[in-house]
Amino acid sequence: MHFAAIGRILGVLLMLFSISHVPPLLIALYDNGGSSSSFIWAFAITLFTGFFLWLPVHHARADLRVRDGYLITALFWIVLGSFGAIPFMLSPSPNMGVVESLFEAFSGLSTTGATVLTGIDQLPRSILYYRQQLQWLGGMGIVVLAVAIMPMLGVGGMQLYRTEMPGPLKDNKLSPRIADTAKTLWLIYCALTLLCALAYWAAGMNLFDAIGHSFSTIAIGGFSTHDASIGYFDSALIELICMFFMAISGMNFALHFLALRSRSLTAYLKDPECQTYLKILAAAFLITATVLMIYNHHDDPLLSIRYAAFEVVSVATTTGFGITDFSGWPSLLPFLLLYTTFIGACAGSTGGGMKVMRVMLLYRQGQREIQRLLHPNGVFTIKLGKRRVPDRVIESVWGFFVVYMVTFFTLMLALLACELDPITAFSALASCMNNLGPALGDATAHYGNLPAAAQLILSLAMILGRLEIFSLLILLSPAFWRY
């Protein structure tokens, strides 16, 4: 393990992260707000901690190994979440404790969108912007951004890229050099953010709200600058724009790259994962809209269609924006929407969940086992489109699914031990582990009423979900630490 090189990289990345406190500081100074001192202290603490971590080992040079990449990724998310909580802890508004600040910071960076805050409309604009910015930085993964500068640090970045990028097929690259890959991803990410902000602005949002909501939309985060979320604007046009960009952000970013390069939509139409993703959204919408109309939940059927379309796209992509309270919907709908978050968005996107590709492979493996029962001597292969999927990938998907479920049930028991009722425990854990945000029961409006121990458990669930479990749990293996 190259601890000196790891310390050097963490130090540099912490110093870079300190720059993220500058924009909200400028907003606080412009508004003459009392939160400016909290961002000054956060900037100074983060900068100097990174500097003193970097200084003793700044000459260290080494090629990263796989285990180094996993350790840096896990440490960086934990460290960033901890330092990202400083402005919340120091700001007079909101007045938050240590655990609540950590929860809010981890929720932002993991793009979960769960919050312990109330009265969001009354918060200083600097804090509102900072929350949105945390989600934007976490959306594509700050580590992927760091990979783009790895050549300057004298280390290779492929190990970081593999541990950070979601999905089972992590070796796919958009370009031969990993630094070029990271830069390409961020260019697409920034371009989508800009387009989304301009669309929101043109549709009637003020500039501050447009920028803030574009951050959380493209990041599939769900934080809002208003308590009522997207419902605050009561605009069908804004909801359509939001649904479009949520759906786009839930797709594999490699498809956006291929579509831009070929100047054609063929990449989306031919990709089996993208096709399945859109079919899931369509099926969930049809079921939701039909049930709402059967139960006459809204007097106007058009309202049922409007609310069903938005909430399905928002929840199924694990964004978490809201225009109505889906927890009060009739019949199976609240749990149906929560179940869609276990599937989540596409691999290689900013979304959460197990990813559509994994669910596809699990389903096709189930089909193959049925065929083997009927034809014991037959040889059956699993394909995605025209590509044969290696058995090693299928094994890793099954392994992920088993570890995911074991982790889920273990954390569920821990939440029940915190005296949460079963509905609150299940929905809050499903929401946090799948990086959604909204939940049922006592966490319907916010998570502020949950015990501190439950908030810490859910913070861990957010990071586990963001790093897709293995990247964090591998550190608990004794074999990881053996040379």
Side-chain angles (χ1 to χ4, degrees):
M1 201 83 70
H2 300 106
F3 290 107
I6 291 172
R8 178 171 173 269
I9 292 169
L10 284 177
V12 170
L13 295 179
L14 264 181
M15 287 189 284
L16 288 174
F17 182 65
S18 69
I19 300 173
S20 69
H21 296 103
V22 174
L25 171 60
L26 295 177
I27 294 174
L29 293 173
Y30 179 81
D31 291 343
N32 295 317
S35 59
S36 57
S37 61
S38 64
F39 288 106
I40 292 174
W41 277 108
F43 171 79
I45 292 170
T46 307
L47 176 65
F48 286 110
T49 302
F51 176 75
F52 287 116
L53 187 62
W54 167 83
L55 186 61
V57 292
H58 68 280
H59 290 302
R61 295 288 191 280
D63 289 330
L64 290 179
R65 299 174 181 173
V66 172
R67 65 180 66 194
D68 297 325
Y70 281 114
L71 182 58
I72 290 175
T73 303
L75 283 177
F76 194 63
W77 279 94
I78 294 170
V79 169
L80 268 194
S82 301
F83 280 84
I86 295 175
F88 296 123
M89 287 188 283
L90 299 182
S91 178
S93 177
N95 185 16
M96 302 173 69
V98 174
V99 174
E100 291 176 327
S101 300
L102 288 171
F103 182 93
E104 199 75 11
F106 280 122
S107 178
L109 280 172
S110 64
T111 72
T112 301
T115 184
V116 296
L117 296 175
T118 56
I120 293 175
D121 292 271
Q122 284 73 50
L123 293 177
R125 289 202 311 163
S126 56
I127 292 293
L128 294 178
Y129 174 85
Y130 180 65
R131 293 171 76 241
Q132 307 301 114
Q133 181 184 259
L134 277 177
Q135 291 205 321
W136 189 75
L137 292 175
M140 182 57 71
I142 298 174
V143 178
V144 176
L145 175 63
V147 169
I149 64 166
M150 283 298 166
M152 291 187 293
L153 300 180
V155 296
M158 189 59 195
Q159 288 79 7
L160 289 178
Y161 177 78
R162 292 184 62 195
T163 55
E164 174 63 19
M165 285 301 295
L169 302 180
K170 298 189 179 188
D171 288 326
N172 288 348
K173 295 190 290 185
L174 309 185
S175 59
R177 296 180 57 198
I178 186 60
D180 292 338
T181 299
K183 291 172 185 176
T184 301
L185 291 172
W186 268 98
L187 284 174
I188 295 172
Y189 190 64
C190 293
L192 286 176
T193 304
L194 178 61
L195 290 174
C196 184
L198 292 174
Y200 279 146
W201 191 28
M205 284 189 185
N206 63 48
L207 187 59
F208 181 80
D209 282 343
I211 293 173
H213 285 90
S214 69
F215 281 177
S216 52
T217 301
I218 302 304
I220 304 190
F223 273 164
S224 175
T225 54
H226 301 282
D227 285 297
S229 190
I230 296 295
Y232 170 87
F233 304 99
D234 192 23
S235 168
L237 177 58
I238 287 177
E239 292 162 20
L240 283 172
I241 293 170
C242 186
M243 283 191 290
F244 173 77
F245 281 100
M246 285 190 294
I248 287 293
S249 299
M251 296 177 183
N252 192 325
F253 270 58
L255 294 181
H256 303 325
F257 171 80
L258 294 174
L260 286 172
R261 188 173 64 178
S262 64
R263 298 182 182 180
S264 170
L265 299 179
T266 305
Y268 302 106
L269 300 176
K270 289 186 176 181
D271 184 71
E273 184 187 26
C274 186
Q275 294 173 5
T276 304
Y277 165 71
L278 295 176
K279 289 176 183 177
I280 291 172
L281 293 180
F285 162 69
L286 289 174
I287 295 172
T288 303
T290 301
V291 172
L292 287 176
M293 287 188 282
I294 289 175
Y295 279 82
N296 293 316
H297 191 69
H298 302 287
D299 295 332
D300 186 355
L302 290 178
L303 273 182
S304 295
I305 294 173
R306 174 181 170 182
Y307 290 160
F310 186 90
E311 292 297 327
V312 163
V313 175
S314 177
V315 175
T317 59
T318 72
T319 308
F321 282 136
I323 58 174
T324 187
D325 181 12
F326 74 86
S327 67
W329 280 358
S331 188
L332 77 167
L333 293 184
F335 281 93
L336 172 66
L337 291 182
L338 276 180
Y339 288 168
T340 63
T341 67
F342 285 90
I343 301 173
C346 297
S349 74
T350 55
M354 290 191 290
K355 302 296 183 295
V356 173
M357 182 178 291
R358 285 198 181 97
V359 175
M360 289 172 59
L361 294 177
L362 287 172
Y363 175 74
R364 295 185 184 184
Q365 172 63 8
Q367 286 183 315
R368 181 164 72 169
E369 291 303 318
I370 293 175
Q371 290 176 320
R372 285 174 172 173
L373 290 174
L374 296 173
H375 308 283
N377 297 323
V379 177
F380 305 97
T381 59
I382 295 177
K383 292 184 178 181
L384 282 178
K386 296 181 179 180
R387 292 188 304 166
R388 179 183 176 276
V389 180
D391 287 342
R392 178 67 187 88
V393 172
I394 302 297
E395 292 170 3
S396 69
V397 169
W398 271 108
F400 173 86
F401 178 72
V402 171
V403 173
Y404 180 95
M405 298 310 298
V406 170
T407 303
F408 184 90
F409 292 134
T410 302
L411 294 180
M412 174 79 174
L413 290 175
L415 289 175
L416 292 174
C418 296
E419 299 186 351
L420 270 62
D421 64 89
I423 290 179
T424 300
F426 173 82
S427 62
L429 181 56
S431 183
C432 289
M433 200 161 166
N434 294 322
N435 304 129
L436 168 64
L440 309 177
D442 294 338
T444 298
H446 58 86
Y447 290 68
N449 295 327
L450 302 186
Q455 292 179 9
L456 288 174
I457 292 169
L458 293 173
S459 298
L460 172 62
M462 295 176 201
I463 299 302
L464 283 169
R466 187 66 181 91
L467 295 180
E468 303 203 340
I469 300 181
F470 277 131
S471 296
L472 194 57
L473 292 185
I474 193 174
L475 302 184
L476 302 179
S477 169
F480 178 84
W481 301 99
R482 295 194 194 113
Y483 286 92

